[in-house]
Amino acid sequence: MLGTGLVSAANADDPATLSGVVLTVGSSESQRVVSWYASANTSQVVEVAPTSTLVAGEFPDDSVTMTFPATVAANLVNGGFNGHATIDGLQEDTAYSYRAGVEGAWSPTYSFKTQDFEGDFDFLFFGDPQIGASGNVANDGAGWADTLNVASAANPNAELLVSGGDQVETANTESQWDAFLAPAQLRQYPWAATIGNHDVGGKAYEQHFWTPNTDRSAPFYTGSSNSGGDYWYIYKDVLFIDLNSNAYASGSDAAHLQYVTDVINAHGAAAKYTVLVYHHAIYSPASHANDSDAKVRRQDFPTTFSNLGVDLVLQGHDHAYSRSYLIKNGQKANPDEQPGAAEVEQGPGGVVYVTGNSASGSKYYALTNPVAGEFGPDPLDNSAGRKRHYANSVESQENKRSYVKVEVRHDRLVVEDIRSEVSPNGAVGSTIDKVAIRPYHGEGQSIQVDVPQAGPGEFGWEIDGDNSLVDLGEAAEGTGFFLASGDINPITVTDTRTSGAAWAVNGQVTDFQDGDKTFSSKYLGWQPHVFAEGAGAAAGDPVESGFNNGTGLSVSRTLGSAAAGHSLGDTELGADLNLKFPTSIDKGNYRSTLTITAVS
């Protein structure tokens, strides 16, 4: 019902009906955000559990299932309510299932998979789907779904879906949002939303997408009734900063630049690359290339981006593909860089700007001619007729859908524009443009080593040699007592765990028994020893026989132990046994069991 913008009356006690569920990016790789529309303002949650623990689709008990409370607010567009919850504490390389709602009124169950939280990864960037721009929502939605199907089939391990803005044609038209949100991938992969000029004119964008670390102060809005805000997040080794480029007048550009500066100063050291994302392309190739706001931003943005060491800027708005040369302070950084180069070296301040074409096919713009004195022609373009703009290494318009794949590698970023629709120039999945961007490492030499996840190692003990009977022989009689002695079979302890966690090996003896005759194990004591040093081992304290007083080895005693942070390896533990017991004990052949327990 919410999908049509119509909400039926609901009593406060009625369970909420949920729609428009979408998975979005969190502050880090261990977070996801789930957002939705709801028909009632009830207490709602998101439940998450490892998919392997579900039985016949049912979530396990509370000891396994994580529950995250939702924030539910009034829907300012069509009535009803919207909710969101942040999933936190995710583990790497794990498939999860999740659902939103309450008991008896859950959404369908969806799933996603985390991957390694360190190292290389791929993400996919999508230019303006702008569902409804063609005038046919169904066709636009079908094209969008097809692009996501093509992209996810070719890149099933991609970890983020990054937006270039303009999810829909009309900000508050929910039928367009329904078509945009229909593909299953938007509940399987985290969507990193970007606000476009067609999204900004209402609150639906914010209601559908809750974004992390968002500054919604006045300079990042174009009006109080609109959506807006700048936000950032770190995913593995990339600091992503997303700007609301709809706000640029009255000091907003300066505010954006201050925001980027503050975020990079605060968080840039935690990442190896910085990627900026915003909607209004400043080096685009088509009809928006010489818009008045683009002219302003071409003056406002590039020098700051170069000075801050930004690596890549992803943009939308112009519904045509372009990839810039390396740009430093608004000019070509390397005069010798050739058009369409397959590999570029950044050098100090070099930034690559990419504009995405339409991911849905709802609208394309024709490439335009450079304007001399403003956004002029590339002097390296000797072709007849239309020429490239001076900033762009590649400009392309096939009037066919495409998406951009970005490979994040330790020594490069690889940007590839890929067809999601057959074109006279290539099949689905073929490459339109591809470039490897090698980062600048300063005047020195950068040295990197990839440290894998250490193996868990092992901790345990075993008898060193034969597990032979520990024979204390025949007890010798003293004045009022019997006395016997011997040695336990040595125990080898192995600890190869990289955590260096503390450990102890303990021993406890059962009462001595011969048929129905017994005497207490408290009469047995020991003197522990470390025979072969290793694994940080120290011998346990001596334990006296309980003949006079005490409990001897009738309770658990420490044979050997190591403190946290100890060295790894093997050690050999042993103990001298001392048995002293009353002469009142009946004659017999008594046995007891020494139980060894390893604790860590």
Side-chain angles (χ1 to χ4, degrees):
M1 297 260 283
L2 286 169
T4 65
L6 180 66
V7 181
S8 61
N11 295 321
D13 295 334
D14 289 344
T17 300
L18 272 59
S19 63
V21 177
V22 60
L23 185 70
T24 55
V25 71
S27 294
S28 68
E29 58 277 350
S30 64
Q31 287 189 350
R32 301 288 188 272
V33 178
V34 182
S35 300
W36 61 87
Y37 274 11
S39 62
N41 187 11
T42 59
S43 295
Q44 297 162 34
V45 301
V46 170
E47 285 192 341
V48 185
T51 301
S52 61
T53 65
L54 270 65
V55 178
E58 294 297 320
F59 280 69
D61 60 32
D62 292 341
S63 66
V64 178
T65 298
M66 300 181 290
T67 301
F68 300 93
T71 298
V72 180
N75 186 308
L76 302 178
V77 178
N78 298 305
F81 303 89
N82 56 276
H84 74 271
T86 299
I87 301 170
D88 202 0
L90 299 171
Q91 301 299 305
E92 61 185 355
D93 296 316
T94 304
Y96 287 98
S97 293
Y98 69 98
R99 61 185 180 181
V102 294
E103 193 65 42
W106 292 112
S107 73
T109 297
Y110 306 108
S111 63
F112 63 88
K113 185 182 184 303
T114 61
Q115 299 187 46
D116 194 326
F117 285 174
E118 299 289 342
D120 299 344
F121 74 102
D122 298 341
F123 69 89
L124 308 179
F125 173 69
F126 299 91
D128 312 37
Q130 204 169 326
I131 305 300
S134 71
N136 189 319
V137 170
N139 283 352
D140 297 348
W144 169 232
D146 190 53
T147 289
L148 284 179
N149 288 337
V150 167
S152 60
N155 306 280
N157 292 321
E159 299 190 35
L160 297 175
L161 309 181
V162 179
S163 164
D166 279 0
Q167 278 77 192
V168 297
E169 167 71 9
T170 310
N172 285 345
T173 299
E174 286 300 331
S175 59
Q176 296 174 7
W177 283 104
D178 289 345
F180 171 79
L181 293 171
Q185 288 87 349
L186 295 177
R187 282 157 292 285
Q188 298 167 346
Y189 298 86
W191 179 253
T194 298
I195 190 167
N197 57 298
H198 287 267
D199 305 313
V200 76
K203 287 297 185 182
Y205 171 89
E206 287 184 3
Q207 293 174 170
H208 281 296
F209 305 130
W210 185 262
T211 52
N213 305 315
T214 304
D215 188 334
R216 296 184 173 88
S217 56
F220 309 133
Y221 274 81
T222 58
S224 60
S225 63
N226 296 339
S227 295
D230 289 1
Y231 74 97
W232 66 272
Y233 58 97
I234 292 178
Y235 195 91
K236 293 190 177 180
D237 286 331
V238 179
L239 171 60
F240 289 91
I241 305 176
D242 196 286
L243 306 179
N244 174 18
S245 59
N246 297 284
Y248 77 95
S250 303
S252 285
D253 271 3
H256 289 310
L257 293 178
Q258 189 61 55
Y259 181 83
V260 173
T261 300
D262 292 345
V263 170
I264 290 177
N265 286 341
H267 305 287
K272 293 183 174 65
Y273 299 100
T274 299
V275 175
L276 301 189
V277 188
Y278 53 79
H279 181 62
H280 294 80
I282 64 173
Y283 295 122
S284 63
S287 62
H288 289 304
N290 287 291
D291 287 353
S292 59
D293 58 324
K295 295 177 184 178
V296 172
R297 291 189 185 94
R298 278 198 291 271
Q299 297 299 316
D300 289 348
F301 283 0
T303 297
T304 299
F305 294 169
S306 291
N307 290 341
L308 290 171
V310 170
D311 298 286
L312 177 65
V313 178
L314 299 174
Q315 312 157 116
H317 193 48
D318 217 8
H319 298 252
Y321 174 79
S322 65
R323 182 246 295 185
S324 78
Y325 293 110
L326 286 164
I327 301 297
K328 179 179 180 180
N329 302 339
Q331 300 298 321
K332 191 175 177 182
N334 177 8
D336 295 328
E337 182 185 340
Q338 294 300 300
E343 182 173 305
V344 295
E345 302 278 348
Q346 274 187 289
V351 184
V352 172
Y353 296 76
V354 171
T355 307
N357 204 345
S358 172
S360 69
S362 65
K363 183 197 295 184
Y364 301 104
Y365 291 138
L367 302 178
T368 57
N369 290 311
V371 177
E374 293 183 2
F375 192 19
D378 178 7
L380 296 182
D381 188 348
N382 297 316
S383 61
R386 196 201 75 86
K387 299 182 184 297
R388 286 188 313 276
H389 297 78
Y390 74 82
N392 289 334
S393 173
V394 176
E395 296 180 347
S396 173
Q397 180 56 280
E398 296 182 350
N399 292 317
K400 299 294 182 181
R401 292 180 276 110
S402 69
Y403 67 95
V404 174
K405 175 182 178 180
V406 180
E407 300 175 8
V408 180
R409 301 295 182 263
H410 66 276
D411 62 341
R412 65 195 184 281
L413 295 174
V414 180
V415 178
E416 182 179 10
D417 189 38
I418 301 171
R419 296 177 179 91
S420 58
E421 183 179 9
V422 65
S423 158
N425 298 321
V428 171
S430 59
T431 298
I432 297 171
D433 175 49
K434 185 175 184 178
V435 62
I437 306 167
R438 297 202 173 272
Y440 177 62
H441 295 296
E443 298 301 323
Q445 296 185 36
S446 294
I447 299 174
Q448 174 171 312
V449 60
D450 292 335
V451 180
Q453 179 68 43
E458 61 178 8
F459 169 64
W461 64 270
E462 63 181 2
I463 304 293
D464 184 15
D466 294 335
N467 188 15
S468 56
L469 176 69
V470 177
D471 190 355
L472 302 185
E474 183 175 309
E477 185 176 358
T479 304
F481 61 84
F482 285 116
L483 188 66
S485 61
D487 305 295
I488 69 169
N489 294 317
I491 303 292
T492 297
V493 178
T494 299
D495 191 357
T496 58
R497 299 170 299 169
T498 57
S499 64
W503 61 263
V505 172
N506 302 327
Q508 184 174 359
V509 177
T510 63
D511 286 347
F512 287 83
Q513 186 170 3
D514 179 14
D516 58 358
K517 298 178 289 185
T518 65
F519 67 87
S520 174
S521 60
K522 74 175 185 178
Y523 296 121
L524 183 65
W526 68 9
Q527 172 66 60
H529 300 286
V530 175
F531 293 131
E533 294 185 357
D541 294 333
V543 177
E544 296 294 330
S545 165
F547 178 77
N548 294 318
N549 58 66
T551 55
L553 293 179
S554 67
V555 296
S556 181
R557 305 289 190 174
T558 300
L559 177 63
S561 64
H566 61 80
S567 59
L568 308 183
D570 300 332
T571 187
E572 186 176 86
L573 305 177
D576 301 330
L577 297 176
N578 174 36
L579 179 62
K580 186 178 183 180
F581 56 98
T583 55
S584 60
I585 301 299
D586 293 336
K587 179 182 178 180
N589 191 306
Y590 291 84
R591 286 193 179 184
S592 176
T593 299
L594 170 63
T595 300
I596 299 294
T597 305
V599 180
S600 181

